[in-house]
Amino acid sequence: MRRERSLNMALMAVLLVFPLWAWSADEPFLITLSTRAVIFAIAGVGLNFALGLGGLVSLGHAAFFGIGGYAMGILAYHAQTYTPLMEWPLLIEGSKAMPVIWAVAIMASGLAALGIGALSLRTTGVYFIMITLAFAQMFYFFTISWPSYGGEDGLSIYVRNGLFGLNTMDPITFYAISYGWLVVVLFVVSRAARAPFGLALSAARQNAARVQAVGQVPYRLYLVAFTISGAITGLAGALFADLNRFVSPTMFSWQTSGEIMVFVILGGVGRVFGPVAGAALFILLEHLLGGVSEFWLVYLGAILLGVVLFARGGLYGLIAGREVAHD
Amino acid sequence: MSTVLLIEQTLNGLQFGMMLFLMAAGLTLIFGVMGLINLAHGSLYMVGAFAAAAVAGATGSFLLALAASLVAAALAGVVVEMTVIRRLYDRDHLDQVLATFALILIFSEGTRWVFGSFPLFLDRPDWLAGTVMLPFGIEYSLYRLSIIGAGLVVAAGLFWMIARTRIGIQIRAGENDREMIGALGVNIARLYTLVFALGAALAGIAGAMIGAIQSVQVGMGEPVLILAFVVIVIGGIGSIKGALVGALLVGLTDTLGRLLLPQLFGLVMAPSAAMSVGASLSSMAIYILMAGVLIFRPSGLFGRARDAA
C-alpha cells in the first residue's frame, strides 16, 4: 500500500512538473501531448470505476466519450453560428462557456449511461461485453448518417471555449484546467471507492449472491456505478473535443472503446490511479514508437499482448506488487 | 415503391444475412466450446479476403482464390490458437477481450505493412457475372444469388457435421462438460485447435466472397465482427440455430430498414427531412432490434440461461 501511494504521488508530480518544464522550454507540442495523456487518464478513471470496482467489462465507453465530445461540439457550433439549438417549446441557445458545456456533457453522458446500463445490465459476462460494444456502434453509425452536425466529416470549432476570461488557447492554461479536472475526478472516485457505496459495489463484484443476501440489490449498485462511470468518461470527451476543437464520429468508434480499456489495463485494473499511469504510458509509447515506425500499432499490440499474458497487474502490479485481488 | 424492388432488397438482405451467419457461426462455436470471446475473428475475415485477392491477382482463378482464403484463414487460426488463444481459455473475459484486441492491432497493422493502405480489388469471375431472371420477371445478380446458395450449403453442412459426425459429437460434448470428454480420451487441445480453425475458415471464406462485392482493405473485418456480435446476442450465444435465425433477422432488418424507413417517414414529413431521419434511424434499426430482444429474452432467442453467466 505504501509503495502504491508513493507511486501515485510520483505520477501526479511528474504530470505537474513535466508540462511546466515544457512550458519554460517553449515546447507547446509536449504540453499538448501531456494534455492528451491527462484527458485520456480521466476517461480511463471513468471506465475503471465500472470495470475495476464493479467488474463490469464495458467495451462501449466510446459512446460516453463521444457524447461528451458532441455535447461540446453542438453547443459551441450553435454559439459560433448564432443559431439557437432549439426554439420550441423553449428557447435554448448554444454556449461557449466551459462550465455550461461540462455540465451538459456530464448530464448527457450520464443519462446515456443510465439508459444503456439499464438494458445491458440485464445480462452478464460475455453478453454484456458485446452489448455495450453494439450500443457504442449504434451511436457511431447514427452520427455518421445524421447530417445536421457534419455527419461523417465532423464539426470544427474555431476558438476554444472560455472559462472566467482566461486565455484557454494558451496550451499551459488548458493543461491546468485538464489537470485540475483529473485531480477532482481522482478525489471523487477514491472517496466513492471507500464510501459504503463503493464497498458494497466491490462486494457485489466478488460475490453478488452474498450481497443480495444482506439486502443490497446488485443491479442497482451496478447501474449507479455504470452511470457515474459514463458521466466521467463523458467529461473527458468534452475536454478532448475542446483540446482538438473538433469532434467527429471517430470518437464513437470501437477503437476508442478499446483504447480506453487499454489505458486501464496498462496501468493496472482496480487501482484508482492505474489509468493515469496507463494513459501516460500509452501516450509515451505512441510518441516513441510512432517515431520508430509508421506501423507502431504492431508494437503496441505486442506489448499489450505481453502485459495481458505475462504481467496481469499492469504497471502498478509490476512496481507496487499485487495487492488488489483480480478476479 | 415497386414489388420488384422490395423482392430485390429482400434477396440482398438474405445475402447479407448469410454472410453474417458464416461469421457468427464461427464466433458462437468458439464461445460455446471454449468459452472464449474472440475479437480477432474479424481479422481472420480480413486475412481470407486478402489471401483471395492476392491469389486471384496472381492466378486469375476465382476458385483458387476461394480455396486460398479457406486455407490462409484456417492456418492463421491454427497459428494464433497455438501461440496465444490457448493461454486464454482459463482466463476471465477481460483478459480475452484485451489479448484479442491486441491481436487485431497486430493483424491490421501487419496487413497494412505487407499490402499497403490502398484497397485491393477482387473481381467476381466471368461465370458468375451478370444477372439471372427469377420468376415474376425479377432480374437479380447471379453472384449475390450464388452467395445465398453457398451460405445455405455451408449452413446445411455445419448442421450435418454438428448433428451427425464424430467430431460434431465431440463438439457438443465439449460444450457440456470439457473435463469429462477429456477424461474419456478425447484430445481436448486438438479439438480446440480444430474448432478454432473451422471458425477461422468460415470467416475467411466469408471475407473472400464479400471481398468480390466490396473492396478488400484493412479494417474491413471489425464492422462485420460487431454485427456478428449483434447476431449472436439476438440468437443466443452457443447456438448455431440461433446464429442462423439472428443473422437472417439482422440482414433483413438492416437492408429493408434502409429501404422502408425513409419512405415511411415520407408519409408524414417533408421528403428531405424524411430522408435524413429515415437514414439515421435505419442505421440504428438492428441495435434497436437487439435491445428489443434483450428486454424480453436476456439470453437471446435460442440461448440457454446458464450460458449468460
Side-chain angles (χ1 to χ4, degrees):
Chain A
M1 208 59 193
R2 268 219 351 260
R3 285 173 82 177
E4 183 171 343
R5 199 166 298 155
S6 29
L7 187 57
N8 295 346
M9 290 297 173
L11 195 62
M12 294 309 282
V14 168
L15 282 178
L16 199 58
V17 171
F18 179 75
L20 284 175
W21 169 80
W23 183 48
S24 65
D26 199 24
E27 295 266 13
F29 175 68
L30 291 181
I31 303 179
T32 306
L33 218 55
S34 319
T35 317
R36 265 164 62 92
V38 165
I39 292 171
F40 284 159
I42 298 174
V45 169
L47 174 63
N48 200 24
F49 193 67
L51 180 66
L53 214 54
L56 306 172
V57 185
S58 160
L59 199 46
H61 262 52
F64 314 125
F65 196 65
I67 288 172
Y70 269 88
M72 173 270 169
I74 289 172
L75 284 173
Y77 169 78
H78 282 287
Q80 84 184 8
T81 53
Y82 301 104
T83 46
L85 194 67
M86 197 162 84
E87 282 174 283
W88 188 89
L90 69 168
L91 182 74
I92 299 179
E93 302 264 13
S95 171
K96 293 283 286 177
M98 280 186 186
V100 177
I101 286 167
W102 292 334
V104 171
I106 290 173
M107 281 197 296
S109 50
L111 268 179
L114 186 68
I116 292 177
L119 277 173
S120 315
L121 285 167
R122 294 168 59 86
T123 66
T124 50
V126 88
Y127 277 93
F128 183 79
I129 300 174
M130 295 183 189
I131 288 159
T132 46
L133 176 61
F135 275 122
Q137 203 68 3
M138 176 174 98
F139 281 100
Y140 176 71
F141 285 118
F142 178 73
T143 42
I144 281 186
S145 59
W146 192 33
S148 316
Y149 296 107
E152 205 166 349
D153 301 329
L155 267 180
S156 280
I157 304 301
Y158 304 123
V159 181
R160 202 167 275 155
N161 299 302
L163 181 71
F164 312 135
L166 293 170
N167 177 15
T168 50
M169 287 301 279
D170 188 358
I172 197 75
T173 312
F174 192 69
Y175 180 81
I177 294 170
S178 307
Y179 187 84
W181 264 120
L182 178 64
V183 171
V184 169
V185 164
L186 283 170
F187 177 75
V188 169
V189 165
S190 57
R191 283 302 290 268
R194 273 177 286 143
F197 167 75
L199 295 176
L201 182 63
S202 265
R205 179 193 75 225
Q206 288 160 23
N207 194 327
R210 286 190 189 169
V211 167
Q212 197 148 24
V214 297
Q216 293 275 3
V217 185
Y219 177 85
R220 216 177 290 159
L221 293 169
Y222 291 146
L223 189 56
V224 173
F226 195 74
T227 306
I228 296 173
S229 164
I232 296 174
T233 305
L235 171 69
L239 290 170
F240 187 69
D242 226 349
L243 173 68
N244 300 327
R245 284 170 287 134
F246 177 65
V247 278
S248 75
T250 326
M251 284 183 81
F252 282 112
S253 70
W254 66 271
Q255 285 98 333
T256 308
S257 295
E259 275 170 17
I260 299 175
M261 199 178 258
V262 169
F263 307 148
V264 175
I265 303 310
L266 280 181
V269 186
R271 320 263 185 168
V272 171
F273 284 72
V276 184
L281 185 64
F282 183 89
I283 295 290
L284 194 68
L285 285 174
E286 182 184 49
H287 187 60
L288 294 180
L289 294 176
V292 174
S293 160
E294 192 189 333
F295 306 100
W296 69 281
L297 282 171
V298 174
Y299 301 111
L300 179 74
I303 291 172
L304 184 59
L305 205 54
V307 170
V308 175
L309 291 180
F310 306 111
R312 290 170 70 188
L315 206 58
Y316 263 78
L318 277 180
I319 298 174
R322 319 186 134 210
E323 278 152 12
V324 179
H326 179 67
D327 49 354
Chain B
M1 177 183 51
S2 65
T3 333
V4 174
L5 183 64
L6 189 66
I7 294 176
E8 239 176 53
Q9 289 302 317
T10 309
L11 284 171
N12 279 344
L14 282 177
Q15 176 256 311
F16 185 37
M18 274 302 163
M19 283 306 95
L20 286 177
F21 169 69
L22 291 184
M23 283 291 282
L27 269 179
T28 206
L29 259 184
I30 289 169
F31 184 79
V33 178
M34 287 96 97
L36 176 96
I37 172 167
N38 180 22
L39 295 187
H41 210 64
S43 299
L44 298 165
Y45 172 90
M46 179 186 72
V47 166
F50 270 91
V55 167
T59 65
S61 159
F62 188 72
L63 284 179
L64 273 182
L66 279 186
S69 74
L70 271 176
V71 173
L75 268 182
V78 168
V79 169
V80 166
E81 201 273 345
M82 291 177 81
T83 51
V84 178
I85 301 287
R86 187 167 281 192
R87 298 166 201 272
L88 296 171
Y89 293 140
D90 52 358
R91 297 290 191 85
D92 56 20
H93 292 317
L94 176 61
D95 285 354
Q96 298 174 348
V97 164
L98 283 159
T100 50
F101 179 74
L103 285 176
I104 293 183
L105 294 181
I106 296 172
F107 266 111
S108 296
E109 291 304 299
T111 311
R112 207 193 300 276
W113 210 334
V114 176
F115 288 95
S117 295
F118 292 102
L120 301 181
F121 292 96
L122 177 62
D123 290 324
R124 58 190 85 169
D126 293 334
W127 43 275
L128 283 178
T131 57
V132 277
M133 284 303 277
L134 296 179
F136 312 111
I138 297 159
E139 258 186 88
Y140 194 67
S141 153
L142 178 59
Y143 185 75
R144 284 176 187 267
L145 202 63
S146 322
I147 290 187
I148 299 178
L152 282 173
V153 169
V154 172
L158 208 56
F159 279 113
W160 173 77
M161 194 196 83
I162 301 270
R164 290 272 185 268
T165 63
R166 190 162 187 82
I167 185 87
I169 294 171
Q170 291 178 354
I171 289 175
R172 279 182 290 144
E175 283 182 344
N176 282 315
D177 192 336
R178 56 185 100 167
E179 274 101 36
M180 196 63 201
I181 69 160
L184 289 173
V186 175
N187 185 342
I188 296 264
R190 216 185 51 199
L191 178 69
Y192 284 4
T193 310
L194 201 72
V195 170
F196 199 84
L198 175 69
L202 290 176
I205 197 157
M209 288 200 273
I210 289 298
I213 300 181
Q214 298 161 357
S215 59
V216 176
Q217 56 187 332
V218 173
M220 65 188 285
E222 280 66 42
V224 183
L225 170 86
I226 294 165
L227 288 180
F229 277 164
V230 174
V231 165
I232 62 180
V233 164
I234 289 176
I237 301 175
S239 160
I240 302 267
K241 191 167 48 163
L244 182 61
V245 174
L248 294 180
L249 263 178
V250 167
L252 288 174
T253 306
D254 190 61
T255 316
L256 293 181
R258 280 174 210 285
L259 175 71
L260 296 179
L261 279 175
Q263 307 208 356
L264 198 67
F265 284 103
L267 299 177
V268 289
M269 285 183 192
S272 68
M275 270 313 281
S276 70
V277 172
S280 317
L281 262 185
S282 58
S283 70
M284 297 165 78
I286 54 170
Y287 303 100
I288 296 168
L289 174 73
M290 179 189 75
V293 169
L294 271 180
I295 290 169
F296 296 105
R297 302 209 47 147
S299 51
L301 295 176
F302 295 91
R304 287 163 296 180
R306 70 168 182 86
D307 282 338

